[in-house]
Amino acid sequence: MSRITEAFIKANPHIQIQGSGGKMFTISAAIDDMEAYTKLTDNMFEQILYSSSSKLAEAREILQNITCRRLYKCVGQTQTEKKLLEWAGCVARSRPRNDLKHVTLQPEDFVVHIINMDWGMKEKNPINNMRFYCKNDPTKAYQISKDQVSKLLPERFAEQLIRVYCKKTDERTMEAAKKNFAQWCMDMNFSKPQDGDVITPELT
């Protein structure tokens, strides 16, 4: 979930948008009314950002942090083939034995982004679905094997990356968050964080 999405979710119950027949809608419900939906422009961002309502304080703070580039910091990245839920809670609970700084982290302190990367057909090799033509007979399409394309083509055509961010950006919390993340990767048998040997040599 992006930070702008997070802000809109917090603002959703407190913003009313007039639709057809004078009916009022929240941001999330405006999709059900064309007149209300057309009012969901970029102005919604500024409406929250420059509001003075105490009910929009949390959403406003998130957008102010975005515009001032006070962003969440990346804890680390790993890879997995598993499908899991409650990612943030798992990271928060994965406390290493050598828990430095005595920092307590909660699931809400983490943001987990799952990035799916592929060649356009998920796990499939796109070459297998392509047709080629030869100058000798431009009217006939034919397939070619992967070996006929190149010996450098990969064996796998999709991967999933997991990036974990911490909302608290002070140095002490970030150090603890990175150790939690490294421990979580080990607990789940995920690939080692890219900087794991440097950040947490005692774990990796």
Side-chain angles (χ1 to χ4, degrees):
M1 178 174 63
S2 71
R3 296 196 70 182
I4 294 178
T5 302
E6 184 181 4
F8 278 23
I9 289 174
K10 290 183 179 297
N12 182 60
H14 311 299
I15 291 183
Q16 293 292 305
I17 304 166
Q18 185 171 329
S20 55
K23 186 177 179 180
M24 305 303 290
F25 297 85
T26 61
I27 297 174
S28 60
I31 193 173
D32 298 321
D33 183 271
M34 182 57 67
E35 183 176 335
Y37 184 66
T38 58
K39 296 177 181 178
L40 292 181
T41 64
D42 292 345
N43 180 62
M44 297 301 303
F45 185 103
E46 295 181 346
Q47 180 179 339
I48 299 170
L49 180 64
Y50 300 126
S51 69
S52 58
S53 170
S54 60
K55 294 180 179 179
L56 293 173
E58 285 188 272
R60 182 168 59 247
E61 183 180 5
I62 293 172
L63 297 187
Q64 287 173 344
N65 286 337
I66 292 174
T67 57
C68 294
R69 304 300 294 171
R70 294 190 293 266
L71 307 177
Y72 299 155
K73 289 189 176 181
C74 184
V75 174
Q77 175 177 296
T78 186
Q79 293 173 279
T80 179
E81 297 179 6
K82 299 180 180 180
K83 303 293 184 182
L84 296 178
L85 300 175
E86 304 295 339
W87 296 95
C90 291
V91 177
R93 290 190 294 270
S94 295
R95 302 181 67 85
R97 292 181 180 179
N98 298 326
D99 187 18
L100 302 177
K101 308 298 184 183
H102 304 290
V103 176
T104 301
L105 293 163
Q106 303 297 331
E108 55 267 26
D109 295 328
F110 292 99
V111 175
V112 181
H113 284 177
I114 300 175
I115 305 165
N116 294 302
M117 303 177 66
D118 59 60
W119 287 39
M121 298 191 68
K122 297 184 178 181
E123 296 85 5
K124 297 180 180 179
N125 179 359
I127 296 297
N128 294 338
N129 289 272
M130 295 181 67
R131 299 296 184 271
F132 298 86
Y133 290 87
C134 178
K135 291 182 179 180
N136 293 337
D137 187 357
T139 64
K140 183 180 179 180
Y142 64 95
Q143 290 180 276
I144 60 177
S145 67
K146 186 178 72 171
D147 291 340
Q148 290 175 281
V149 179
S150 173
K151 298 294 184 182
L152 297 177
L153 287 178
E155 294 299 323
R156 302 181 61 176
F157 296 87
E159 68 175 0
Q160 185 181 79
L161 303 179
I162 304 170
R163 288 180 184 161
V164 177
Y165 296 83
C166 187
K167 296 181 181 180
K168 298 178 179 178
T169 58
D170 62 279
E171 185 176 346
R172 191 177 72 161
T173 301
M174 282 300 299
E175 181 181 347
K178 289 184 178 182
K179 290 182 182 295
N180 273 46
F181 178 68
Q183 184 66 57
W184 177 64
C185 291
M186 293 177 63
D187 293 344
M188 301 305 301
N189 198 28
F190 292 167
S191 65
K192 185 188 302 183
Q194 293 176 342
D195 57 357
D197 293 331
V198 177
I199 302 298
T200 55
E202 72 276 11
L203 295 179
T204 59

